C-alpha cells in the first residue's frame, strides 16, 4: 500500500479519519479502524475501510459511496420504486452501480430478463465483490450483464430498448459529472421504450439543492411525469437523500404495489413507497421554481 494517505484521509491524534468536505461548510468524518484497500484506477481513487458504525465502506476519490450496514437503503430505494412503478419491466439498465447493490435488487423482479450494468470502472465491481458481499451479494446473478463502459457513451448506442434505466451514479464530480447533464438525460429518454421510465439519485435536497433543482428541471423538459422521493441514508451528508423518477407513461403514485418485491427488503415496503413521495414544504418550494 502506498505510503501517502489517500485523498480525504487525515491522521488526527492517534486515529485515521476520512473527511468528506464535498458539502459547503459541512464535514462528514468517518473514523477509519482499518484501511483495507487503496488503489488508483484510470478513473478514480478507490478505498475500502472499516468503520464501527457502518462496517466496511467503499469510497471513491475520498467520498463514501456505500457501506455494509446502510447500503441496503439506497439500493432498495433506487431500484424497487422504478421496477414496481413499471408494470412489466423486462429489460433494465443500470448506469454506474458498480457496487452491485442495485443490480442485486433488480433481479428480485421475476419478469426482469436482463440487467445491463454499465460501470465505467471494472475495479469497483471487483473490489465490491471482494470486500462488500453485504451489498454486492455472494455472486452476480446470470441475468446481470456488466458492460465496462462510460455510461455517457454507451447510452448513445441505445434506442427504444429499455423498460427501466437506473442512473446509480456517484456525485456530479469526476466521471459522473456528465450523468447529470441534459444531453445525457435526452439520450436516456431515447434509449427507453415508449412506456419506459428512469430513476436517478439526485443528491441531498439540503446540501445540494441546486443539483436536485437542475436534475428535476432538465427531466421535466423531457418526461411528462417527474417525481422526486426521499430516503434517510446515514452515510450521506445530512442523512436526507433524494431520488428522482422520470416516466413516459407510468406514475409511481398509481403503481400496483402488489408488485413490490418487499418480502426480504430491510427498508422499502408499500407504506414507505408512497410516503417517500410526500415532500416537505422546503423541497416542494425548491421544485416548484
Ligand atoms: N450507491 C452510490 C451512491 O449512493 O452514490 C453510488 C453507486 S456506485 C459506487 C457509483 C458508480 O458510478 C461508481 O462505481 C463509478 O465508477 C460509476 N460511474 C461514475 N461515472 C460513470 C460513468 N460516466 N459511466 C459509468 N459509470 C460511472
Amino acid at each position: 500500500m502506498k505510503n501517502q494517505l489517500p485523498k480525504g484521509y487525515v491522521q488526527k491524534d492517534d486515529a485515521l479519519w476520512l473527511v468528506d468536505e464535498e458539502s459547503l461548510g459541512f464535514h462528514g468524518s468517518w473514523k477509519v479502524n482499518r484501511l483495507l484497500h487503496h488503489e488508483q484506477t484510470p478513473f478514480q481513487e478507490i478505498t475500502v475501510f472499516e468503520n464501527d458504525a457502518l462496517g466496511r465502506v467503499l469510497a471513491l476519490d475520498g467520498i463514501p459511496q456505500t457501506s455494509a450496514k446502510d447500503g441496503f437503503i439506497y439500493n432498495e430505494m433506487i431500484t424497487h420504486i422504478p421496477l414496481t412503478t413499471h408494470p412489466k419491466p423486462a429489460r433494465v439498465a443500470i448506469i454506474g452501480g458498480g457496487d452491485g447493490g442495485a443490480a442485486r435488487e433488480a433481479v428480485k423482479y421475476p419478469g426482469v430478463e436482463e440487467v445491463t450494468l454499465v460501470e465505467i470502472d471494472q475495479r469497483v465491481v471487483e473490489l465490491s465483490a471482494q470486500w462488500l458481499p453485504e451489498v454486492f451479494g455472494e455472486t452476480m446473478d446470470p441475468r446481470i450483464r456488466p458492460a465496462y463502459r462510460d455510461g455517457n457513451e454507451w447510452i448513445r448506442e441505445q434506442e427504444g430498448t429499455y423498460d427501466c434505466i437506473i442512473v446509480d451514479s456517484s456525485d456530479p464530480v469526476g466521471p459522473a459529472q456528465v450523468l447529470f447533464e441534459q444531453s445525457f438525460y435526452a439520450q436516456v429518454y431515447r434509449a427507453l421504450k415508449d412506456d419506459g421510465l428512469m430513476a436517478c439519485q439526485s443528491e441531498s435536497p439540503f446540501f445540494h439543492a441546486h443539483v436536485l433543482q437542475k436534475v428535476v428541471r432538465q427531466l421535466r423538459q423531457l418526461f411528462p411525469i417527474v417525481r422526486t422521493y426521499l430516503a434517510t441514508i446515514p452515510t450521506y451528508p445530512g442523512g436526507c437523500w433524494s431520488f428522482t423518477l422520470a416516466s413516459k407513461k407510468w406514475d409511481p403514485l398509481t403503481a400496483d404495489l402488489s408488485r413490490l418485491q418487499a418480502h426480504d427488503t430491510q427498508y422499502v415496503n408499500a407504506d414507505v413507497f408512497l410516503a417517500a413521495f410526500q415532500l416537505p414544504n422546503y423541497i416542494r418550494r425548491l421544485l416548484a421554481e
Side-chain angles (χ1 to χ4, degrees), residues 44 65 74 96 99 118-120 124 150-151 168-170 175-176 236:
Q44 53 213 338
Q65 297 293 314
Y74 172 102
D99 57 51
V118 188
E119 165 56 58
I120 198 167
V124 175
D150 179 339
D168 178 9
S169 71
S170 23
Y236 298 157

Side-chain angles (χ1 to χ4, degrees), residues 87-118:
K88 210 166 179 309
R91 300 196 70 186
V92 177
I94 297 173
I95 296 174
D99 57 51
R104 182 180 178 209
E105 295 301 321
V107 294
K108 288 180 180 175
Y109 285 76
V112 168
E113 295 161 5
E114 67 170 65
V115 177
T116 304
L117 181 63
V118 188

Side-chain angles (χ1 to χ4, degrees), residues 136-190:
F136 187 89
E138 292 311 316
T139 58
M140 190 177 262
D141 184 286
R143 287 173 288 171
I144 301 169
R145 299 181 187 149
Y148 297 120
R149 301 272 308 277
D150 179 339
N152 191 41
E153 289 172 11
W154 174 86
I155 195 75
R156 296 172 192 289
E157 300 160 8
Q158 320 305 323
E159 183 169 0
T161 314
Y162 291 95
D163 299 300
C164 293
I165 295 177
I166 294 169
V167 185
D168 178 9
S169 71
S170 23
D171 301 297
V173 291
Q177 194 155 7
V178 288
L179 306 182
F180 289 79
E181 299 302 331
Q182 184 67 353
S183 57
F184 170 71
Y185 291 139
Q187 295 296 332
V188 170
Y189 184 93
R190 180 172 167 271

